[in-house]
Amino acid sequence: MIGFWESILLTVITAATPLLIAALGELIVEKSGVLNLGVEGMMAVGASTGFAVATLTDSSLTGVLAGIGAGMALSLVFALVTLGFAANQVAAGLALTILGLGLAGLIGAKFVGTSRIAIPPIHIPGLSELPLVGKLVFGQSPFFYLSVALAVGVAWFLKKTRAGLSLRSIGENHSSAHALGLKVLRTRLLAILFGGACAGLAGAYLSLVYTPFWSPGMTAGRGWIALALVVFASWLPLRVFLGAYLFGGATILQMHAQAASLGLPSQALSAFPYIATIIALVLISMRRVGATPAPGSLGTAFVPPR
Amino acid sequence: MRLELIPRRDVSSLQRSLAPLWAILAALVMGGLIVAFLGRSPLAAFRVYFLDPLTDPWALQELAVKATPLIIIATGLVYCFRANLWNIGAEGQLIVGAIFGSILPLATVGMESAPWVLPAALLLGALGGAFYGFIPAILRVRFGVSEILVSLMLVYVAELTLDYLVRGPWRDPKGFNFPTTPTFESFATLPNLASEGRLHAGIIIALICAAVTWFVLNRTLFGFGIRVAGEAPRAARFSGFNANRMTIAAFVISGGLAGLAGIVEVTGQIGQLKPAISGGLGFTAIIVAYLGRLHPVGIIFGAFVIALTVYGGEAAQIALKLPLDLTRTFQGILLFCVLAADALTTYRLRIVRGVTA
């Protein structure tokens, strides 16, 4: 019985990790006042580039780095258009999604149907074999530890550092922040690049750990769910962590229900995570008292006055 | 080094209308670079993508067929985008429209003749899309939930619902187990406009939608309210426009038009339901709306440009073995270029060395 629950928990973690990584990146972006809807596109490019480079160089690590780089490169395009040209962020984010899904297909075309050995979970002799906690605490994929560290790091950065405070104030009111002498555009550029790196990393996780192959459409809306998670978490990093695990759990629940054939059509179960997202967003908004916790300048372009 | 945006004085409306053309040119250059990178001749690709279809009368019909749903959806999106509301779930509204609209044509399979079915189907399709557009609107108005995320999540739900219907209860029992519904009777499909080719009456519906939208936006109080709500929300509040009613109306109209596009696609050229009836038209229409600068006449032009890339993309896949994803990449680049070109008509760009902002 313990083995059963342990294996369920392990699969929940594998489903939650990419959501967590991508959502933390987007959290930083949105805290700086920028709404980048292109997470799905950056994730897809991260997945295909990561897989392609890992296959070509026969090195998973190089693949992961390439995935991160690809996510950052795409986010740079977004930054150029939204920061440099002050274009509408929603439209630019959609453009990024469309562009990313297309590019991912182009990059991955030659690699459809090939598979690689997944990046293995770490193994510490002795510790990983401990009963109960051994595998959960000491035998996870390196990405899991990275995602936890990222959650703690982002929370610490926003709450405890001077740079985090500047970033938050820029997101709350970019005009005041500018008047105080803070570098609005430079901070936002760095935030967008960080978001791109996280989305690329999450994508690389999908194609190098989660499924170990590349197929078109493999991101399956995870980028959008990551965006929803940020709202669901009321822009709080540790709640993003909680949310990612709830949604990871919902995904796994749905898969197990499919396998157990409950008599429900499989499509109804597949739709469950999306409907759950909507319900979660409604519930969290209903419970909210007073003003929205969204950063005040979220989604608005900033043109420095001269 | 940094970029500085300096507002331009007196930008003429001609300059604004020309911005998309510059964007198309820039996107063509970048697309050409990608084709070269893929190891093919950009000139050959340009010919297959853009020149061949424009010189072939057969292809012109096909372009109109492909532009039809894009015009209908994009004119609907104008109501939302102009009001600064973000309906990005047109794909889902299109699918639900196709489902609702198919109820009567499917119920009348095997009947003699029933000319009332087609108009009723089109109406039901629009109602279905309107209902699906209403959901994100009401959730936003009542609970303040992001309409972007809800409308997008509903796309997946709609796709899965359609998938369930055509594989389950609506599957053609005589269809050799293929996941399709029975084929509609001819009285339940849109008539063809030419004796040869596939051009159907949907294009007329599309042009009517664009004309009505132009009228509503420019000549009615409601259209004025939509524009004010988008351009000066505070002014809209002070002048007594009810923002909530505006939100719901914009979403219901744009959902309704997306639903209409869905049932026009099904009754116009597909003739039955199957798991994939759209292939992303609802998302492509977002590009069309921007390429047309959120203006009904511009949208007709934008829809034909995008239809050209889709048609050319299919031809290039066959003739040059260029992947279909190239089309999607090009469309993404094009939308970026349109946004940048818009900014460059509003602002003058100056490169400043040294200090950063």
Side-chain angles (χ1 to χ4, degrees), chain B residues 55-117:
Chain B
T55 48
D56 174 1
W58 188 267
L60 286 177
Q61 271 201 36
E62 202 59 28
L63 284 186
V65 171
K66 288 198 192 308
T68 297
L70 294 173
I71 296 173
I72 303 177
I73 305 168
T75 48
L77 291 176
V78 165
Y79 291 90
C80 280
F81 291 176
R82 279 275 185 106
N84 232 341
L85 295 165
W86 300 103
N87 177 12
I88 58 173
E91 179 80 0
Q93 292 141 18
L94 177 149
I95 291 170
V96 171
I99 292 174
F100 272 59
S102 295
I103 295 173
L104 289 174
L106 285 175
T108 53
V109 166
M111 271 167 64
E112 283 294 307
S113 174
W116 55 271
V117 170

Side-chain angles (χ1 to χ4, degrees), chain A residues 6 9-10 13 122 124 127-128 130-141 144-145 148:
Chain A
E6 191 188 62
L9 198 54
L10 286 172
I13 290 172
I122 61 161
I124 307 167
L127 286 177
S128 298
L130 285 174
L132 290 176
V133 295
K135 256 193 134 174
L136 280 179
V137 181
F138 300 109
Q140 298 278 353
S141 157
F144 163 74
Y145 302 103
V148 175

Side-chain angles (χ1 to χ4, degrees), chain B residues 4 19 22 43 60 64 68-69 81 116 129 142 147 161-162 169 174 209 234 254 258 287 317-318 353:
Chain B
E4 198 169 84
W22 294 116
L43 283 179
L60 286 177
T68 297
F81 291 176
W116 55 271
R142 273 285 158 79
E147 80 277 19
T161 308
L162 175 64
K174 294 188 287 262
C209 288
R234 269 166 66 83
S254 88
I287 308 176
Q317 192 191 22
I318 299 165
R353 292 186 190 284

